[in-house]
Amino acid sequence: MVDNRKPVPMQPEPFGADAARPGQMHFDLPMGKDVHSIRRRIEVMEQVLERSFVIPGLNRPVGLDSIIGLVPVVGDIIAMGMGAYIVWEARNLNLPKWKLARMAANVGFDSLVGAVPVVGDVFDFLFRSNTRNLRIVKKHLDKHHPESKVIEQ
């Protein structure tokens, strides 16, 4: 017997303000190779790594970098790889080599000190290499690609 019914397409969940639910983050990630898309991906990765949620009582934002850094060795390697992704995306923006080296040094220093037990976990909580790298990228883009500048609210 042949089934002649057509499949009913599933309706995607709404994006933007309509999709906001408590405790759920939604990131609209553009996948293009243009300056705007790369800038947005770097901003989102920095937010995930450094400012995903706020610790109650301390009112200090933390992210995956601090959390997965608690797992010895493997967590630090994963955090370093995610930080290196920001440097790789900055390379796609044709940042000068000295800025890329500075960004890589931030990630390397964070990973090196973060690998020390206990002291490194506190360091990961305080030193935000990905935020520093985002600042380097934004400063470069604001100067060389002012059309990509986003007004912060």
Side-chain angles (χ1 to χ4, degrees):
M1 178 172 232
V2 177
D3 188 6
N4 292 331
R5 294 179 290 166
K6 292 184 180 181
V8 177
M10 296 184 67
Q11 295 296 320
E13 289 192 31
F15 291 105
D18 298 336
R21 294 183 197 126
Q24 184 181 29
M25 292 188 302
H26 170 40
F27 300 110
D28 184 26
L29 283 179
M31 299 311 292
K33 293 183 180 182
D34 58 301
V35 174
H36 298 283
S37 298
I38 295 172
R39 179 183 181 129
R40 181 68 186 136
R41 286 195 302 268
I42 292 173
E43 289 171 344
V44 167
M45 181 60 82
E46 185 272 338
Q47 183 175 357
V48 167
L49 289 173
E50 305 291 5
R51 302 176 287 122
S52 295
F53 58 92
V54 176
I55 296 178
L58 293 179
N59 290 333
R60 173 124 173 117
V62 295
L64 281 181
D65 188 23
S66 300
I67 303 301
I68 63 176
L70 296 172
V71 178
V73 183
V74 175
D76 295 315
I77 291 171
I78 292 170
M80 181 177 63
M82 294 173 82
Y85 172 77
I86 293 175
V87 179
W88 180 76
E89 285 284 21
R91 184 180 118 333
N92 292 337
L93 291 170
N94 296 320
L95 263 72
K97 290 186 188 226
W98 69 270
K99 287 183 182 181
L100 295 173
R102 186 170 162 208
M103 292 173 69
N106 284 337
V107 173
F109 182 66
D110 185 23
S111 300
L112 186 67
V113 177
V116 177
V118 183
V119 173
D121 298 329
V122 173
F123 180 77
D124 273 341
F125 184 70
L126 298 174
F127 184 76
R128 298 174 182 260
S129 64
N130 301 302
T131 302
R132 291 170 183 255
N133 289 344
L134 176 63
R135 198 174 309 129
I136 291 169
V137 170
K138 281 185 172 181
K139 188 175 178 181
H140 174 82
L141 290 179
D142 291 350
K143 181 177 181 182
H144 298 285
H145 299 279
E147 72 279 359
S148 72
K149 192 171 188 174
V150 177
I151 298 174
E152 305 289 332
Q153 293 183 14

